[in-house]
Amino acid sequence: MSEAKAPVGQIRTEVRGHVLKIIIDNPAKKNSFSPQMMFQMSDALTLLDNTDEYWVGVVCAEGGDFTAGLDMPKFFGPKAENWDLRDGTIDVFALANRCRKPIVTAVQGIVYTIGIEMMLAGDIVIAADDCRFCQMESKRGIAPFGGAHFRFLTRAGWGDAMYHLFLCDEFTSERAYKIGLVQEVVPAGQHIERAMQVAETIAKNAPIGIQVTKEAALKFIESGEGAAVDYIPKIKDRFFNSEDFKEGIQSFVERRAGGRRLYSENQRSRLQQRRFQRGNSVICRAASSRVPRPIGLSAQNAGVVQPLRIKDQTWVA
């Protein structure tokens, strides 16, 4: 008896009038992306951009979740597959070539990491009321490389952006609507049809007028985005060479909580050299006019050498 093959994820398309519907289809794995699916998504967006009859795009997903993110072992590690952007195609995250047509994204359930970045690479987001958003890369020892680090800012503002990017927390559709990441929240199951309705309403307008509107609006933010995009390679070099990144990928492969190595070996060595002797170490300081009085010494005995016991073993000089 032969073993049943696991279903292979794919990106497929449908056409309704002047709207191209782009569907993420890998529900068995919570619509996680393989490198092949990234290529297919890029091809679908390129088709939208290059075809005169397609005026608006809708990005959506099968099943109960939009996407849980990347299928990590296929992108990083010894079995990683190539997924570089091919020349002349649209970038899934709109970091390089960007689609000229308006894109409405319908999201539901789990919307993790690249799911947020994909929806922010588009223009309008319709969310089901059961969404669970999370930009969790930093929990895995890496950082958002698909544009979240600056598109959160343009949509939500500094405070709300940093709140979620730093906490790496999970938040709801209502919260996403409040801070401007999504434009409408509808009951789960109605979000894709509502996105299609919005797209068809857009398609009733002159396509050239809509495209020029998007092009002109992007000029307002492109200079800032350009600087942020150019900085991504520096972020990648820093994190891909870190112990945090290696541990994060390994913990994902082993399906366990990831540890965090916050410092490189050289940094840790320097810190250890600067630490006071651990445990019940006795630290002496000679008070003078140029040396501040150590905590724990009174004004009367500040002029003499006094022992100061350190209980906190992490105190760094």
Side-chain angles (χ1 to χ4, degrees):
M1 182 177 178
S2 61
E3 295 183 1
K5 292 184 178 180
V8 177
Q10 63 176 330
I11 305 299
R12 54 188 180 82
T13 60
E14 299 175 0
V15 178
R16 195 161 98 183
H18 292 292
V19 177
L20 179 67
K21 187 178 181 183
I22 302 171
I23 305 161
I24 305 166
D25 190 357
N26 192 20
K29 290 191 173 182
K30 297 185 182 299
N31 286 320
S32 61
F33 271 74
S34 66
Q36 185 63 29
M37 289 173 66
M38 294 294 284
F39 285 132
Q40 291 176 357
M41 176 61 78
S42 176
D43 289 343
L45 292 170
T46 303
L47 177 66
L48 169 64
D49 192 68
N50 291 342
T51 306
D52 291 340
E53 289 76 21
Y54 302 154
W55 297 353
V56 188
V58 169
V59 175
C60 59
E62 291 284 5
D65 301 300
F66 184 66
T67 179
L70 298 177
D71 190 343
M72 295 289 278
K74 294 181 179 179
F75 287 85
F76 306 105
K79 297 183 179 180
E81 304 171 20
N82 176 57
W83 59 292
D84 293 335
L85 180 68
R86 291 173 291 196
D87 292 341
T89 58
I90 298 298
D91 185 350
V92 172
F93 303 114
L95 301 178
N97 299 331
R98 190 166 191 161
C99 183
R100 297 171 297 120
K101 313 286 182 65
I103 298 174
V104 182
T105 306
V107 297
Q108 77 275 8
I110 291 174
V111 189
Y112 287 171
T113 58
I114 65 164
I116 296 177
E117 291 174 316
M118 283 184 181
M119 77 180 199
L120 295 183
D123 304 298
I124 296 171
V125 182
I126 308 298
D129 58 8
D130 65 349
C131 286
R132 297 162 53 193
F133 296 95
C134 189
Q135 200 76 52
M136 63 172 63
E137 285 90 340
S138 293
K139 287 186 176 182
R140 293 294 183 188
I142 55 176
F145 297 137
H149 64 296
F150 58 88
R151 292 203 175 112
F152 254 87
L153 289 174
T154 58
R155 302 292 181 96
W158 183 273
D160 286 325
M162 294 302 108
Y163 183 89
H164 292 296
L165 290 174
F166 288 170
L167 268 63
C168 303
D169 62 330
E170 191 173 285
F171 55 98
T172 65
S173 302
E174 288 72 19
R175 172 65 178 170
Y177 176 76
K178 181 179 180 181
I179 64 177
L181 295 186
V182 309
Q183 282 60 65
E184 289 187 22
V185 177
V186 299
Q190 299 179 21
H191 56 293
I192 295 178
E193 184 56 34
R194 176 55 185 156
M196 292 296 295
Q197 292 172 358
V198 171
E200 288 172 338
T201 300
I202 295 172
K204 292 178 181 178
N205 301 309
I208 186 63
I210 297 299
Q211 292 171 30
V212 168
T213 297
K214 179 173 179 175
E215 179 181 346
L218 286 174
K219 291 297 180 183
F220 179 75
I221 60 174
E222 271 182 354
S223 58
E225 284 198 0
V229 171
D230 291 343
Y231 199 73
I232 290 177
K234 297 181 180 179
I235 298 173
K236 285 184 176 180
D237 290 342
R238 180 178 173 187
F239 277 96
F240 286 170
N241 293 320
S242 71
E243 292 297 317
D244 276 11
F245 172 74
K246 296 174 186 176
E247 162 62 15
I249 298 302
Q250 190 62 31
S251 66
F252 184 91
V253 172
E254 296 175 1
R255 299 184 181 276
R256 58 174 172 79
R260 279 160 286 281
R261 298 185 176 99
L262 299 179
Y263 303 103
S264 68
E265 293 301 324
N266 289 337
Q267 288 174 316
R268 189 178 294 108
S269 177
R270 289 196 298 269
L271 285 172
Q272 288 172 344
Q273 291 174 8
R274 295 169 56 197
R275 292 185 190 278
F276 285 92
Q277 187 178 354
R278 293 175 178 270
N280 291 324
S281 301
V282 176
I283 298 176
C284 297
R285 290 185 180 177
S288 69
S289 59
R290 292 174 297 173
V291 180
R293 186 174 79 248
I295 298 173
L297 297 184
S298 65
Q300 289 77 13
N301 59 21
V304 297
V305 176
Q306 291 286 336
L308 182 61
R309 292 189 178 276
I310 305 302
K311 295 181 180 179
D312 182 1
Q313 298 184 5
T314 65
W315 189 16
V316 178

